[in-house]
Amino acid sequence: MLQQHLRQLTLRSGGEGFTDITAALNREIAASGLNTGLAVIACLHTSCSLTVNENADPRVLEDLAAFLRALVPQEGVKPLSGRGELRRWVHDDEGPDDMPAHIRTALTCTSLSLSFQGGRLLLGTWQAIYLWEHRAEGQQRRLTIHLIGQ
Amino acid sequence: MLQQHLRQLTLRSGGEGFTDITAALNREIAASGLNTGLAVIACLHTSCSLTVNENADPRVLEDLAAFLRALVPQEGVKPLSGRGELRRWVHDDEGPDDMPAHIRTALTCTSLSLSFQGGRLLLGTWQAIYLWEHRAEGQQRRLTIHLIGQ
Amino acid sequence: MLQQHLRQLTLRSGGEGFTDITAALNREIAASGLNTGLAVIACLHTSCSLTVNENADPRVLEDLAAFLRALVPQEGVKPLSGRGELRRWVHDDEGPDDMPAHIRTALTCTSLSLSFQGGRLLLGTWQAIYLWEHRAEGQQRRLTIHLIGQ
């Protein structure tokens, strides 16, 4: 019979960049006693996100971060058509890194749904799950991990 | 024992921009009688999407919308490398806002998975859930809300 | 009573572009014997993704692919603010199409959650589900399809 387990994870991010949470998620699955099921991980914030990406060459993460910085610059954006002027962010009360962080969150994922089997996440060889911090400084971050399985 | 409830929500968007659907989703959870579980919200369209973002300063939504307009302009795009010419959209039968709307949908989320507890969505302090309309004009929009819980 | 079915699907992509997997997913749902439930589809790779988009005019997919090529060019990116120089990818061991493929994956979806009813995915009229290959060459790709329903 299917059961559910809902837990919160708290972690401190190290500022803009990636924290590999794969092992922490696998520990939660092991602790639940469930063998096979669905894991839904959600981020309770609007300036960091979740992503599945390569766990091998660290330069992949470096390029990912550089891309998102170029895509959503702190100084504002010009249309990708090349036609139009720079538009600055109007939301700037919380520092120049805050509005880009909200946009970078909207372009990536607030929640991820993955299967687990044998008490572990069912991932491809090169996949890891990252909390992607978009604020410049490290933050206390809360995630939920929701397991439905047996 | 886990149960499921599957409902459709219909709403009218007000043209390009955001409709906060958090309260409507909480009403569906309350009506289901479920206390704790998983809520999956999906959008039955290809030119609007779902996003979780800040519910406090309305300028966050203003900047989000301005960013996505700049990223996917109606007139077409030039490579972000700066090398190459403007490419116009070849799909233009349904008006100049239609193809950008499909692309904006692909860059954001068609479905969201979130947990609920105590009969309410488990959200961070600053999180709200928005239907993000990408067409210029208001549209009749259908969402599914699927609850699995107890 | 709710049950789960977890299967893997293997398919060969035809190089950069889209493979419609809607019918294959509906076959898995039919084979499970479940009528109503949640389907979570996940991609076990970091250089292809999943997307829901239009199934009618093939030019929509053509424009989607052209957009993502312009957004994440092989030669690197310049800030969308227009202020700054071209930055080339530092991860380039696996060919010039590999790092763009990782980024395109991060901007789209590794997993999708959708409801099914009457033994079929509950989709809008114009929605199809695509595997979006981001590598230049065709690849063997593995997906999981996880059904929870009754």
Side-chain angles (χ1 to χ4, degrees):
Chain A
M1 192 190 302
L2 293 177
Q3 297 183 350
Q4 68 177 345
H5 289 255
L6 174 58
R7 296 280 182 279
Q8 292 199 27
L9 290 181
T10 301
L11 58 94
R12 179 128 201 121
S13 74
E16 195 205 334
F18 300 87
T19 305
D20 188 334
I21 59 172
T22 317
L25 297 175
N26 276 327
R27 279 195 297 274
E28 290 292 328
I29 294 169
S32 75
L34 298 174
N35 182 283
T36 300
L38 182 69
V40 177
I41 308 106
C43 203
L44 299 181
H45 305 275
T46 62
S47 53
C48 64
S49 55
L50 298 167
T51 197
V52 178
N53 224 294
E54 200 190 280
N55 57 12
D57 180 358
R59 289 174 299 178
V60 169
L61 299 181
E62 203 182 310
D63 280 338
L64 266 175
F67 173 79
L68 211 49
R69 274 195 299 269
L71 189 68
V72 194
Q74 290 200 4
E75 59 267 34
V77 289
K78 291 175 74 165
L80 189 56
S81 58
R83 305 183 174 183
E85 295 306 307
L86 182 74
R87 182 190 175 282
R88 296 181 181 283
W89 311 119
V90 296
H91 172 78
D92 59 3
D93 305 349
E94 297 162 69
D97 64 317
D98 186 60
M99 192 57 225
H102 290 306
I103 295 172
R104 293 169 190 178
T105 300
L107 293 174
T108 49
C109 296
T110 290
S111 67
L112 289 175
S113 299
L114 300 163
S115 299
F116 59 93
Q117 206 168 36
R120 290 179 65 79
L121 288 166
L122 192 48
L123 294 172
T125 315
W126 309 108
Q127 288 185 314
I129 304 171
Y130 296 98
L131 174 75
W132 197 345
E133 178 60 65
H134 302 302
R135 295 301 307 267
E137 302 296 322
Q139 308 284 331
Q140 194 79 3
R141 297 305 198 180
R142 285 190 306 143
L143 308 177
T144 55
I145 171 164
H146 199 138
L147 308 175
I148 296 180
Q150 60 205 33
Chain B
M1 194 189 302
L2 292 176
Q3 298 184 349
Q4 67 177 346
H5 288 254
L6 174 56
R7 295 280 183 279
Q8 291 199 26
L9 289 181
T10 301
L11 58 94
R12 183 133 198 115
S13 73
E16 195 206 333
F18 300 87
T19 305
D20 187 335
I21 59 171
T22 318
L25 297 174
N26 276 328
R27 278 194 298 273
E28 290 292 328
I29 295 169
S32 75
L34 297 174
N35 182 282
T36 300
L38 182 69
V40 177
I41 307 105
C43 202
L44 299 181
H45 306 274
T46 62
S47 53
C48 64
S49 55
L50 297 166
T51 196
V52 177
N53 223 293
E54 199 189 281
N55 57 12
D57 181 358
R59 288 174 300 179
V60 170
L61 300 182
E62 205 181 309
D63 280 338
L64 267 175
F67 173 79
L68 211 50
R69 274 195 300 268
L71 188 68
V72 194
Q74 290 200 3
E75 59 267 35
V77 289
K78 292 175 73 165
L80 189 56
S81 59
R83 304 181 175 185
E85 296 306 306
L86 182 75
R87 182 190 175 282
R88 296 182 183 280
W89 311 119
V90 295
H91 171 78
D92 58 4
D93 306 349
E94 299 163 67
D97 63 316
D98 185 60
M99 191 59 224
H102 289 304
I103 296 172
R104 294 169 189 178
T105 299
L107 294 174
T108 51
C109 296
T110 290
S111 67
L112 289 176
S113 299
L114 300 164
S115 300
F116 60 92
Q117 207 169 35
R120 290 179 65 79
L121 289 166
L122 192 48
L123 294 173
T125 314
W126 310 108
Q127 288 184 314
I129 304 170
Y130 297 98
L131 174 76
W132 196 344
E133 177 60 65
H134 302 302
R135 296 300 308 266
E137 303 295 321
Q139 308 285 330
Q140 194 79 2
R141 296 305 198 181
R142 284 190 307 141
L143 308 177
T144 55
I145 171 164
H146 199 137
L147 308 175
I148 296 180
Q150 60 207 32
Chain C
M1 195 189 300
L2 292 177
Q3 297 183 350
Q4 66 177 345
H5 289 254
L6 174 57
R7 296 279 183 279
Q8 291 199 28
L9 290 181
T10 301
L11 59 95
R12 182 130 197 119
S13 73
E16 196 206 333
F18 300 87
T19 305
D20 188 334
I21 58 171
T22 317
L25 297 174
N26 276 328
R27 278 195 297 272
E28 289 292 327
I29 295 169
S32 75
L34 297 174
N35 181 282
T36 301
L38 182 68
V40 177
I41 308 106
C43 203
L44 298 181
H45 305 276
T46 63
S47 53
C48 64
S49 55
L50 298 166
T51 196
V52 178
N53 223 292
E54 200 189 279
N55 58 11
D57 181 358
R59 290 175 297 178
V60 169
L61 299 182
E62 203 182 309
D63 280 338
L64 266 174
F67 173 79
L68 211 50
R69 274 195 300 268
L71 188 68
V72 194
Q74 290 200 6
E75 60 267 37
V77 289
K78 292 175 74 165
L80 189 56
S81 58
R83 304 184 175 183
E85 295 307 307
L86 181 74
R87 181 190 176 282
R88 295 181 183 280
W89 311 120
V90 297
H91 171 79
D92 57 5
D93 306 349
E94 297 163 68
D97 63 317
D98 185 60
M99 191 59 225
H102 290 305
I103 296 172
R104 293 168 191 178
T105 300
L107 293 175
T108 49
C109 295
T110 290
S111 67
L112 288 176
S113 299
L114 300 163
S115 299
F116 59 92
Q117 206 168 35
R120 290 179 65 80
L121 288 166
L122 191 48
L123 294 172
T125 315
W126 309 108
Q127 288 185 314
I129 303 172
Y130 297 98
L131 174 76
W132 196 346
E133 177 60 65
H134 302 302
R135 295 302 306 267
E137 302 297 321
Q139 309 284 331
Q140 194 79 2
R141 296 306 199 179
R142 285 190 306 141
L143 308 177
T144 55
I145 171 163
H146 199 137
L147 308 175
I148 296 181
Q150 61 206 29

